[in-house]
Amino acid sequence: MQRPNILFITTDQQRKDTIGCYGNRVVQTPNLDRLAAEGIRFERAYCESPICIPSRITMITGKTCANHRAPLHNTSMFDNERTMGQVLQENGYRTHFVGKPHFKSQQHRGTEESIADWRDGKFNAWHGPYGGFQTVDIILGHSNSLVGHYGEWLREKHPDDYVHFEDSHLECISPEGGGTYRNTIPEALHSSAYVAMRTNEFLDSMRSKEIPFYCFASFPEPHWPIMPPQPYFDMYQDVPVPIQQPPIDAGKLKNYPKHFRIAHENKSTGYDGGGHYLNRPEDLPAITRAYWGSVTFIDRNIGLILDKLDELGMAENTIVVFTTDHG
């Protein structure tokens, strides 16, 4: 019996209730809904941590945070961790990663994901191995942080379009900290489109191969900054949005873990994941609509990947998994 291929697709910081198959009647997610209809939908699945790095390391090692020893943001996976990619390699699989890894800190020098080291040119011509993947094609940061292979591709192939990612071309619609930007980024150059394009190029490369593959396609969105391209940014502008921000009784914060108070006071740091407590509830509808647009744009690009599997005749022998690192 031919061993199945594995395509593991993730998004970053996506809520379960943004997907049609989980009951959303507003956000358009036809490709994820198709995936759910043709497969198995989990109603009770839980992430190990509400923070990117710990949760992502758990996904590729199968270990809890306590056991993989990276429980916080800006910690890093230890090099001696045994990953799913390594196990599959040992069993004859071709392994490849596309998109945002975040298995190690992007803020600390000396890791494969160090933004500073990438900008210094320390990873020129590097494409792995990393984290159990024989080859990688990575994106660092989010949306407008043009570092990693994605940034190199933009500078080399589309130098005249680089201006669209600069602050002067980004309009912040929520100055209170929502990190949501109207932008002029061409749809084909957006990071979500890049993940689909590079994933499909890998699938094409495996067309005539007689070995199975494990491909991890990791979309950096809809994590803030929220900045999907047009027309997705304005796709839901006329849709009513209920205010879902839970009330916070400042007097009761002393009874909660201290990070609740720190977040409420806007004193979070990059080390604990950053983020901001939104003090202007009136900004929430615009932020939510842009977030929904980002989800729909991701769904469109996931559809391109699923279509490629069909085109290549790989769909019947490929296990496709979709999840997010945390919601």
Side-chain angles (χ1 to χ4, degrees):
M1 179 178 177
Q2 186 178 3
R3 289 170 296 172
N5 304 310
I6 302 169
L7 175 61
F8 193 85
I9 304 173
T10 61
T11 54
D12 192 344
Q13 205 164 281
Q14 180 178 357
R15 292 172 59 107
K16 172 185 173 183
D17 62 6
T18 59
I19 305 175
C21 65
Y22 284 111
N24 193 299
R25 295 296 174 260
V26 175
V27 183
Q28 299 174 33
T29 55
N31 295 294
L32 291 176
D33 296 343
R34 165 195 161 191
L35 197 60
E38 296 176 354
I40 299 171
R41 183 185 66 190
F42 290 90
E43 291 286 354
R44 297 183 63 185
Y46 304 90
C47 65
E48 167 66 10
S49 171
I51 302 173
C52 294
I53 290 177
S55 184
R56 287 166 177 269
I57 298 175
T58 291
M59 283 196 288
I60 65 169
T61 65
K63 292 183 178 181
T64 63
C65 295
N67 287 300
H68 65 54
R69 300 164 291 165
L72 300 173
H73 199 67
N74 287 347
T75 53
S76 292
M77 180 176 68
F78 286 78
D79 288 332
N80 62 355
E81 286 291 353
R82 185 167 168 78
T83 67
M84 179 177 174
Q86 288 172 295
V87 173
L88 289 171
Q89 276 191 62
E90 292 166 3
N91 285 273
Y93 275 73
R94 169 74 167 89
T95 61
H96 184 63
F97 183 94
V98 180
K100 176 191 174 182
H102 224 185
F103 306 140
K104 295 184 180 180
S105 172
Q106 298 180 1
Q107 279 68 50
H108 299 166
R109 286 188 179 272
T111 78
E112 292 90 338
E113 298 186 50
S114 165
I115 289 177
D117 286 351
W118 272 88
R119 286 177 173 159
D120 286 347
K122 294 184 179 180
F123 290 98
N124 289 345
W126 176 81
H127 285 273
Y130 181 51
F133 298 96
Q134 292 161 289
T135 50
V136 296
D137 192 329
I138 70 175
I139 299 172
L140 301 179
H142 290 277
S143 300
N144 63 335
S145 190
L146 305 180
V147 189
H149 297 113
Y150 171 54
E152 292 177 350
W153 171 77
L154 282 169
R155 282 187 288 272
E156 179 183 347
K157 301 294 186 181
H158 303 278
D160 294 338
D161 290 300
Y162 213 76
V163 65
H164 296 287
F165 296 85
E166 297 175 354
D167 290 345
S168 60
H169 282 67
L170 302 176
E171 176 192 350
C172 183
I173 67 168
S174 177
E176 191 63 28
T180 304
Y181 299 90
R182 189 180 300 278
N183 62 87
T184 59
I185 299 172
E187 189 174 318
L189 303 187
H190 196 279
S191 50
S192 288
Y194 181 84
V195 171
M197 176 187 69
R198 290 303 209 198
T199 299
N200 284 350
E201 288 176 0
F202 172 76
L203 296 178
D204 275 326
S205 75
M206 297 300 294
R207 180 198 304 257
S208 59
K209 301 291 195 303
E210 296 183 358
I211 60 173
F213 63 79
Y214 164 44
C215 180
F216 192 137
S218 176
F219 289 87
E221 290 76 40
H223 188 293
W224 56 266
I226 304 166
M227 44 193 295
Q230 290 292 359
Y232 298 90
F233 191 97
D234 289 322
M235 180 173 285
Y236 300 103
Q237 63 177 335
D238 297 324
V239 178
V241 178
I243 299 297
Q244 298 178 327
Q245 185 181 31
I248 294 293
D249 185 336
K252 293 181 180 179
L253 285 174
K254 65 179 183 296
N255 298 321
Y256 295 172
K258 66 179 182 180
H259 61 271
F260 282 88
R261 174 179 50 79
I262 292 170
H264 180 68
E265 296 172 354
N266 274 337
K267 294 179 180 178
S268 298
T269 67
Y271 191 79
D272 55 28
H276 304 278
Y277 187 84
L278 191 65
N279 291 313
R280 287 166 37 110
E282 61 269 27
D283 289 339
L284 276 176
I287 294 170
T288 301
R289 293 183 184 107
Y291 182 84
W292 287 348
S294 185
V295 170
T296 296
F297 185 56
I298 293 167
D299 180 88
R300 177 187 179 277
N301 283 286
I302 289 174
L304 296 178
I305 297 173
L306 298 179
D307 289 346
K308 175 61 71 171
L309 288 175
D310 289 334
E311 174 193 325
L312 297 175
M314 294 177 172
E316 291 300 316
N317 195 45
T318 300
I319 298 171
V320 181
V321 179
F322 172 79
T323 187
T324 191
D325 60 351
H326 59 90

